[in-house]
Amino acid sequence: MLDHGAVGDGTTLDTAAVQAAIDAAHAAGGGRVVLAPGHTFLVGSIELRSGVEFRIERGAVLQGSSDWADYTARFQVGALSAGVVTDRTDSSAALLVAREAKDIAISGGGVIDGASDAFIDSVAGDNVEMPNERPFLVFLLGCRNVTVRDVTLRNSAWWTLRLTGCEDVVINALRIRSDVRVPDSDGIAIDRCRRVRISDCDIECGDDAISLKTCDEWPEYGPCEDVTVTGCTLSTRSSALVVGVDVSGTIRNVIFSSCVVRQSHRGLSVSAGTGGDIENVLFSDIVVHAQLFSPRWWGSGEAIVVRSAPWHDEVGRIQHVRFRNVLAHSESGILIFAAEAGLVDDVVLDGVRVELERWTDWPDRRDLRPYVRGGGPYATATPGVHVERAGRVVLRDSEIAFRGERRNGFGSAVAQAESPGLVIENLVGEAARPSLPRVDEHAALTLG
């Protein structure tokens, strides 16, 4: 890298030199571009080319610029306008980008730093406000044969690692460390991709830790399908493992297994908010810790959420979802919700234990956001499991337990409304208080 004129002192802008090294490797038919240890390379947008492994050695840092003008790789994305791209949507940008490239890799054990502090507008308590003019950290668009392995991605001002329309992807042993106060600082976002394997990653971020989507932009890339996520540890103020909410096309054939959710606002979430369908999703052998955070984040400390509710004008169907061998400790329970009959069907919870307890000082609340009809947060009693307007739902060999002294906000073990397909087999657990029924048959949520 230094041979191409990079200085690597963390002060001199090295964008041109880093790009020149990538372009030279690509022109030679492929190769490895190495950022040497002991150097910090300050850059704006750089673009990875086909056949190139971008290797950041341990002790090296690819440092994002604090100047928005240095980010020249621009995109229009729905994340800036409630999931929908309009004529008025602002452009976003990215630090490290690849477009329609094949046989690429990012590796080496070093660090990519997004300089998120430079993009903070204001700080209010435990929250920060950010402008729309802030970059994604890594954005791979329409790429094939992709490997991202053994790097630290930190201080992202926007989604940390976004892949859209990519095929044959391996993501392994990443450390993601973003400021948990930063909104939209998702860890790994998999959008309209196929054949993706994510394993052994450790993620701390403000927004969704690992999220599967079919976003409004680039519909030509089709569905998101054939994705596995294994062996990850996750901490977030939003959802830890989530399918949705952006579902403008089909998401199907997804497996999450052998993960630990150390902290989250929603633990495991399958959430349709726009017009695409979700089907064939498995969660197994997972430990979840979920708690309440500021109401700015969607969620209310639920261990598990399955919801189909329109964010705007239409919403898709969720079917064939399985949760097996899940152990959860959370401030809320399990929510299965459909805005209308027929939107959620065939959900099975088998061997799921949820222990509900209040330990934070945030007010009790329920939350259906994002929901065009008004999704909260609002106050109402929290049952162990809430099922509303769903089709077939099976709760088998599972356990609900209420713990601690602060039980006034908790309700029945199971509450249901307009869900005649609910089947309860060998459920262990009673209501939070003796005066309440074990199963509440008339528990529709009141929107406010």
Side-chain angles (χ1 to χ4, degrees), residues 347-367:
V347 178
V348 177
L349 300 101
D350 189 352
V352 174
R353 182 182 192 275
V354 179
E355 181 177 309
L356 290 85
E357 183 178 7
R358 288 302 317 277
W359 62 86
T360 69
D361 293 328
W362 295 103
D364 293 303
R365 63 182 187 264
R366 306 294 300 278
D367 193 352

Side-chain angles (χ1 to χ4, degrees), residues 185-268:
S185 60
D186 298 51
I188 300 174
I190 303 299
D191 167 39
R192 297 185 180 275
C193 296
R194 289 159 297 285
R195 299 184 300 284
V196 178
R197 291 164 287 161
I198 302 171
S199 63
D200 305 312
C201 295
D202 184 64
I203 300 173
E204 295 179 5
C205 59
D207 220 306
D208 297 338
I210 298 177
S211 176
L212 276 57
K213 306 172 181 286
T214 46
C215 294
D216 191 56
E217 57 269 24
W218 296 293
E220 64 271 20
Y221 287 120
C224 186
E225 60 188 358
D226 307 336
V227 179
T228 63
V229 178
T230 60
C232 295
T233 56
L234 312 157
S235 180
T236 172
R237 292 191 178 183
S238 192
S239 298
L241 296 171
V242 54
V243 181
V245 173
D246 305 82
V247 191
S248 294
T250 300
I251 303 176
R252 61 187 170 224
N253 305 341
V254 178
I255 297 175
F256 300 99
S257 67
S258 304
C259 293
V260 174
V261 179
R262 293 186 290 114
Q263 181 175 264
S264 66
H265 209 184
R266 283 175 173 159
L268 315 179

Side-chain angles (χ1 to χ4, degrees), residues 87 97 105 108 133 179 225 253 292 362 381 396 415:
D87 293 339
V97 64
E133 292 183 341
D179 187 337
E225 60 188 358
N253 305 341
L292 289 163
W362 295 103
R396 176 188 302 129

Side-chain angles (χ1 to χ4, degrees), residues 3 23-24 33 36 39 52 97 107 109 127 131 177 197 208 213 269 284 291 295 316 335 347 351 388 398 435:
D3 294 341
D23 292 346
V33 172
H39 294 277
V52 175
V97 64
S107 66
N127 295 320
R177 297 290 185 271
R197 291 164 287 161
D208 297 338
K213 306 172 181 286
S269 178
S284 66
Q291 69 177 77
L335 173 64
V347 178
E388 185 163 343
S398 294
S435 59

Side-chain angles (χ1 to χ4, degrees), residues 85-251:
V85 175
T86 70
D87 293 339
R88 294 176 291 178
T89 299
D90 292 336
S91 291
S92 188
L95 174 61
L96 178 57
V97 64
R99 288 179 270 209
E100 304 294 337
K102 62 180 181 180
D103 304 320
I104 60 173
I106 302 168
S107 66
V111 173
I112 303 177
D113 190 303
S116 59
D117 285 355
F119 298 93
I120 293 176
D121 274 344
S122 63
V123 179
D126 200 30
N127 295 320
V128 301
E129 298 300 328
M130 309 284 283
N132 281 350
E133 292 183 341
R134 51 186 165 127
F136 292 94
L137 193 66
V138 180
F139 194 158
L140 309 180
L141 176 64
C143 298
R144 289 183 294 151
N145 301 334
V146 175
T147 299
V148 185
R149 171 176 289 142
D150 193 25
V151 291
T152 295
L153 308 178
R154 73 185 185 197
N155 299 330
S156 181
W158 200 246
W159 298 1
T160 306
L161 173 61
R162 174 173 179 170
L163 291 87
T164 293
C166 295
E167 296 185 0
D168 299 319
V169 176
V170 174
I171 299 171
N172 172 250
L174 300 189
R175 293 174 179 85
I176 293 178
R177 297 290 185 271
S178 290
D179 187 337
V180 296
R181 302 172 303 166
V182 171
D184 307 302
S185 60
D186 298 51
I188 300 174
I190 303 299
D191 167 39
R192 297 185 180 275
C193 296
R194 289 159 297 285
R195 299 184 300 284
V196 178
R197 291 164 287 161
I198 302 171
S199 63
D200 305 312
C201 295
D202 184 64
I203 300 173
E204 295 179 5
C205 59
D207 220 306
D208 297 338
I210 298 177
S211 176
L212 276 57
K213 306 172 181 286
T214 46
C215 294
D216 191 56
E217 57 269 24
W218 296 293
E220 64 271 20
Y221 287 120
C224 186
E225 60 188 358
D226 307 336
V227 179
T228 63
V229 178
T230 60
C232 295
T233 56
L234 312 157
S235 180
T236 172
R237 292 191 178 183
S238 192
S239 298
L241 296 171
V242 54
V243 181
V245 173
D246 305 82
V247 191
S248 294
T250 300
I251 303 176

